[in-house]
Amino acid sequence: MKLTLATDDTGGPEIFSSLQGEGPSAGMPVAFLRLSRCNLACVWCDTAYTWHFTGDERPHRSGETHDRRANQVTLPVAKVASLVAEHGQKRLVVTGGEPLLQAGALAELLELLPDVAVEIETNGTTAAPPRLDIRIDQYNVSPKLAHSGNPPELALIAERLHAYAGDPRAWFKFVVAEPEDVAEAAALVRSHAIPPARVFLMPEGTDSATLRERERWLVPLCLEHGFRMSDRLHIHLFGDTRGT
């Protein structure tokens, strides 16, 4: 089987070592594997090069589209496993795009990496099949709120949210741009019985100044609702760049 990956700035597969920048594992050394393609289209997505290809008319705030050939590379699973193993990290974060769109090949990959703890970053609209699910140590579920521009019937699947809410491996990360977004997130937490202790609110932004500005009003809202706040460590360290 093969996996379709995003590319880094050199045109090679986007596999790299860094510190996890978000969520419950923030600050941990990890290997990252970024897969290509997504079933949603967030207008503020900071990895639009994984899905917003030439000819895709779904809106993105940049107004730019990306050449598919220049931003995708397809490799045999065994090759990807070898590249990940070369980084020598004990933890692997699989991100995208939406990684679960390639669940079959991803399961095969993780079977070749049995000693690595695995995080999956997902938008929460689909489920991992059993062969993949048993390889996952942590799900970072990021349901998309109205300001993402995605229709709720596509982005907020009740059955999936309930299932992740009941899975102790699943942590929820809501990206917020305005205080009103927090009210929407809190309503979803209540309606889907998501444990508040496993909920992060994260400011939307691709530069330190924007993140810090939004974190000022986000802190009291986290205190009010009993949610955690997630920064975006990699933005402060490296900026909005690939392979970081």
Side-chain angles (χ1 to χ4, degrees), residues 54-125:
T54 304
D56 189 333
E57 297 183 354
R58 294 177 295 177
H60 188 269
R61 66 183 177 191
S62 70
E64 299 176 1
T65 57
H66 302 269
D67 180 73
R68 183 186 295 270
R69 289 188 177 184
N71 290 277
Q72 276 188 351
V73 59
T74 299
L75 297 173
V77 165
K79 176 63 175 176
V80 177
S82 176
L83 292 172
V84 170
E86 287 177 5
H87 285 267
Q89 300 294 339
K90 297 179 179 179
R91 194 169 190 88
L92 172 66
V93 178
V94 185
T95 187
E98 173 49 57
L100 294 183
L101 297 182
Q102 301 187 61
L106 187 54
E108 183 175 312
L109 171 73
L110 298 183
E111 288 167 359
L112 297 175
L113 299 166
D115 299 323
V116 176
V118 178
E119 296 183 26
I120 295 287
E121 300 196 331
T122 176
N123 58 34
T125 61

Side-chain angles (χ1 to χ4, degrees), residues 143 145 172-176 178-196 199-201 218 221-222 224-227:
L145 303 176
F172 287 78
K173 179 185 68 184
F174 292 95
V175 177
V176 296
E178 302 290 344
E180 293 77 12
D181 300 329
V182 178
E184 183 184 353
L188 288 169
V189 168
R190 291 191 298 270
S191 62
H192 297 290
I194 299 171
V199 174
F200 285 82
L201 301 180
L218 192 52
L221 290 172
C222 286
E224 175 185 343
H225 293 283
F227 300 151

Side-chain angles (χ1 to χ4, degrees), residues 134-158:
I134 62 172
R135 301 287 174 180
I136 307 306
D137 297 279
Q138 180 176 308
Y139 286 101
N140 301 327
V141 184
S142 183
K144 304 309 179 189
L145 303 176
H147 72 100
S148 71
N150 293 288
E153 61 270 20
L154 295 181
L156 301 171
I157 311 300

Side-chain angles (χ1 to χ4, degrees), residues 18-32:
S18 190
L19 301 181
Q20 170 63 293
E22 304 172 356
S25 306
M28 292 182 64
V30 299
F32 275 93

